[in-house]
Amino acid sequence: MRVDRAETELGDMLDLLDGLDTALLGDTIDSGPLFQAHFAPASPSSLTLDDFPHLREEASLLKSILAGAMSQGVRGVNILIYGETGAGKTEFAKTLAASLGAELLEISHENEDSDLEETHGRFRRYLLAQKMLARKSDCVILFDEVEDVFPNSVLPLFGRASNSGRYKAWTNAVLESNPRPAFWLCNEVSQIDPAFLRRFSYTLQVRTPVRSVRRRMLVTRLGDLPVSREWIDKTAANQDLTPAMIEQACTLASLTGEKEPTTLEHLMEWVLERSREVMGRKAALQLPRPGSVTRYSLKVLNPSQDLAALTESLKRRPMGRLCFYGPPGSGKTAFAHYLAEQLDKPLLKKTASDLLSCWVGGTEKHFAKMFREAKEEDAVLLLDEADSFLQDRRSALHSWEVTQVNELLVQMEAIEGLFICSTNLMDRLDQAVLRRFDLKIQFGYLKPEQAWTLWRQTLDEPERRDDDSARAVALRQRLQRLTTLTPGDFATVLRQARVLDRSYDGEQLLAALEAECRAKERGAQPVAGFHASFADCPDRRLSA
């Protein structure tokens, strides 16, 4: 019962928890049905702890803590579980309670009129549950979505502020005196007062499962749905694929009754993309690219380091910080993919769109998460276009640009796996960053003999037999004059041929390569535009 001092009539001042008067005046005296509007047994989970191998150590510890608390009647045992939406927090709590043989009772979210319960109302339901279940030794309470009871205040111009510091003494007493162990679940903890966080017995952040777990979840949820093993492997490679997304996609796919594998895979990709889009992630699944239009070979790369020897060394000890630099298309990213394949490790590739945040401090958090994901996945970490983040701090215009570089420096120092940065703009990187790379490998333009090898591989077989003819000699001489060719240029020309649905003979292939080189030369020249003419104008006001 709550006393509302703003009211003047006694009947209005004494506020009983919604529905409790009806329950108390009913015929039943069983506490289960009596209070089911306020707390009730949680729905069972179809999972077991084996479905959470990434939380195996935490699960073992929490089982011991909860078993001891229940058997000894210890008060004040509260487990805070937090993490992004759909990561599996609720299912993990349910499976943990089931593994202990304990009944899990969940605090209701709604009142008797099906309205979302106010902050104090949910707290009062929780207190009622603790009071009525105090002598029930084999139960645990589940308090989900506790953002409701630790709300944020929204301040104009200043964003969100913690509002959970009110009624500190009372809230502290709630967290220290509960007779039944409780799970407190939320998506984030930033709005919870540190004084409250300190009083939780154990805090656990549930992150998105690692690749092997995601694959296992897909296989389990798909059941008899006829999808290919290759599709499962590709889909599981997405680092932000949550258990909730997997469950939703598999459920909807089974409802359609579709049996044709390709159609079914396309349908599930569509569902997953929509889920990712509404969650603010990239809409498109990061499925591996189709096979390259050119055959990959170390022989057609022009690096400053022996890549074959480097690969063999990393096979024995896959650790290091490498910087790949050079012109676009010279094979930097392709070699990172090749290296991951040779080491039999997944490649975790991150770009600016994956990491940049509009919030101050958000990009730094994404950096920390990126390195954590690489460690959990045991993956080769590739930061593509690294100059977007690692620019010289001396030229920084904003303080957050400096903190981003500082955060990356700290994470680079601590990494124990293989970290690769690729950039086309080596001269823009911060000097302290450069010093931290174990190897800086330059990827250059193709040598004449490498360009000729790729040119021959690209042509049809009849064209290759004509190497000694005068026409072939003339083409080879023209090819040698293209000093800015890269393997990427050959891939671009082949994609052009596919778009145009045609095949190039030797003359046409060379002409297309020459056009690519001319385009690069034009792109490297400064553009004389408005700013140049404006600077030379004697009367700038008239020009403007």
Side-chain angles (χ1 to χ4, degrees):
M1 183 175 291
R2 181 179 62 174
V3 178
D4 189 348
R5 301 183 184 278
E7 299 290 343
T8 57
E9 297 294 330
L10 181 61
D12 295 329
M13 289 179 66
L14 301 179
D15 178 24
L16 196 63
L17 193 61
D18 279 341
L20 190 56
D21 51 351
T22 303
L24 292 174
L25 293 173
D27 296 331
T28 180
I29 58 172
D30 185 355
S31 62
L34 184 64
F35 301 115
Q36 64 183 357
H38 309 291
F39 58 90
S43 59
S45 175
S46 60
L47 305 178
T48 67
L49 288 181
D50 291 337
D51 293 302
F52 297 92
H54 56 304
L55 299 174
R56 185 178 294 110
E57 294 182 359
E58 287 85 353
S60 177
L61 175 60
L62 289 176
K63 283 182 65 175
S64 301
I65 293 173
L66 293 172
M70 288 190 293
S71 63
Q72 301 173 33
V74 177
R75 288 176 171 266
V77 175
N78 295 283
I79 311 299
L80 176 64
I81 303 178
Y82 65 101
E84 64 177 304
T85 302
K89 303 181 294 294
T90 304
E91 295 301 310
F92 177 67
K94 290 180 178 180
T95 56
L96 197 59
S99 69
L100 289 165
E103 184 179 12
L104 187 66
L105 293 121
E106 184 172 6
I107 306 301
S108 174
H109 292 264
E110 299 177 344
N111 59 26
E112 61 182 355
D113 298 321
S114 296
D115 295 326
L116 290 179
E117 187 60 275
E118 39 128 1
T119 299
H120 292 293
R122 290 208 71 207
F123 245 137
R124 291 160 70 197
R125 289 170 183 263
Y126 171 76
L127 292 175
L128 176 65
Q130 286 286 359
K131 190 72 172 179
M132 299 309 301
L133 301 171
R135 298 182 181 180
K136 187 176 175 62
S137 61
D138 59 344
C139 73
V140 181
I141 294 176
L142 174 63
F143 202 178
D144 204 351
E145 306 294 347
V146 298
E147 288 92 346
D148 296 344
V149 298
F150 294 118
N152 279 329
S153 293
V154 180
L155 305 178
L157 302 179
F158 295 98
R160 298 184 304 171
S162 174
N163 192 37
S164 68
R166 301 167 64 190
Y167 316 111
K168 275 192 175 182
W170 179 79
T171 308
N172 289 342
V174 169
L175 290 170
E176 292 173 347
S177 60
N178 53 295
R180 293 293 96 217
F183 291 115
W184 299 61
L185 276 56
C186 61
N187 296 332
E188 58 179 88
V189 297
S190 58
Q191 81 278 15
I192 302 179
D193 193 280
F196 301 154
L197 291 175
R198 181 178 64 82
R199 284 172 167 80
F200 283 101
S201 311
Y202 190 85
T203 58
L204 169 63
Q205 183 177 13
V206 177
R207 301 184 177 95
T208 304
V210 296
R211 181 175 186 169
S212 59
V213 178
R214 296 194 297 267
R215 189 187 187 285
R216 177 176 176 173
M217 287 181 173
L218 278 168
V219 171
T220 302
R221 298 298 175 276
L222 287 167
D224 297 329
L225 292 175
V227 298
S228 66
R229 178 178 178 180
E230 291 74 19
W231 184 87
I232 293 175
D233 291 338
K234 292 176 182 178
T235 305
N238 290 270
Q239 284 81 20
D240 57 0
L241 192 65
T242 66
M245 291 180 185
I246 294 172
E247 181 72 31
Q248 182 183 50
C250 294
T251 299
L252 294 180
S254 62
L255 290 176
T256 64
E258 180 62 54
K259 298 299 181 184
E260 202 283 316
T262 303
T263 304
L264 190 60
E265 292 170 3
H266 178 73
L267 169 66
M268 294 187 66
E269 287 175 16
W270 185 269
V271 174
L272 290 171
E273 286 173 0
R274 299 288 74 77
S275 296
R276 293 159 61 88
E277 185 176 17
V278 78
M279 293 295 292
R281 302 184 177 106
K282 286 183 176 180
L285 286 173
Q286 300 174 13
L287 298 179
R289 297 171 298 177
S292 175
V293 292
T294 57
R295 286 175 291 186
Y296 185 79
S297 172
L298 295 181
K299 294 181 180 179
V300 294
L301 299 181
N302 187 19
S304 59
Q305 187 82 23
D306 187 339
L307 298 184
L310 174 63
T311 302
E312 292 302 316
S313 176
L314 291 174
K315 284 181 180 179
R316 293 188 293 270
R317 188 173 181 272
M319 295 179 64
R321 295 164 295 191
L322 312 179
C323 179
F324 298 164
Y325 68 99
S330 55
K332 303 182 295 295
T333 303
F335 179 65
H337 282 270
Y338 171 82
L339 194 56
E341 291 177 3
Q342 293 300 306
L343 300 181
D344 195 23
K345 291 179 178 289
L347 180 72
L348 180 58
K349 179 183 175 182
K350 295 292 184 178
T351 60
S353 62
D354 300 314
L355 299 171
L356 289 176
S357 171
C358 60
W359 303 106
V360 175
T363 301
E364 290 88 334
K365 290 182 179 179
H366 290 168
F367 287 156
K369 181 180 179 182
M370 171 183 73
F371 282 92
R372 184 175 64 246
E373 286 178 2
K375 181 178 180 179
E376 292 173 349
E377 297 271 0
D378 191 25
V380 175
L381 177 57
L382 169 63
L383 182 58
D384 211 3
E385 306 298 343
D387 47 272
S388 302
F389 311 101
L390 299 176
Q391 295 189 27
D392 196 326
R393 286 170 290 183
R394 291 173 297 182
S395 61
L397 300 177
H398 307 283
S399 60
W400 49 263
E401 294 177 298
V402 176
T403 59
Q404 287 179 8
V405 177
N406 292 343
E407 177 64 24
L408 266 177
L409 289 174
V410 171
Q411 296 290 346
M412 286 175 63
E413 288 284 0
I415 192 171
E416 297 178 354
L418 184 57
F419 175 52
I420 301 172
C421 284
S422 68
T423 179
N424 304 328
L425 305 170
M426 183 68 163
D427 57 333
R428 294 189 182 181
L429 298 191
D430 190 271
Q431 295 300 311
V433 173
L434 290 176
R435 183 173 56 82
R436 283 168 170 80
F437 286 113
D438 303 315
L439 288 175
K440 293 174 277 289
I441 303 176
Q442 182 178 17
F443 287 71
Y445 294 113
L446 291 172
K447 297 176 181 178
E449 59 272 20
Q450 293 173 321
W452 179 249
T453 298
L454 273 179
W455 186 80
R456 291 187 72 253
Q457 288 178 359
T458 308
L459 293 175
D460 294 331
E461 185 63 31
E463 289 274 350
R464 300 179 197 170
R465 300 181 189 144
D466 203 21
D467 280 358
D468 298 328
S469 66
R471 173 176 173 272
V473 171
L475 289 175
R476 185 166 187 172
Q477 290 174 347
R478 284 175 56 189
L479 186 66
Q480 290 176 347
R481 290 196 286 269
L482 302 180
T483 57
T484 59
L485 272 180
T486 66
D489 294 327
F490 284 88
T492 299
V493 169
L494 282 179
R495 288 196 299 270
Q496 293 172 0
R498 286 184 177 180
V499 171
L500 299 173
D501 192 21
R502 60 184 295 186
S503 59
Y504 288 160
D505 60 20
E507 180 68 35
Q508 292 168 330
L509 174 60
L510 185 56
L513 291 172
E514 289 172 337
E516 288 298 313
C517 289
R518 287 196 298 271
K520 285 190 281 188
E521 291 172 2
R522 287 195 299 270
Q525 294 175 357
V527 178
F530 172 79
H531 293 290
S533 59
F534 180 71
D536 297 334
C537 181
D539 191 338
R540 299 184 181 183
R541 289 177 299 172
L542 291 177
S543 298

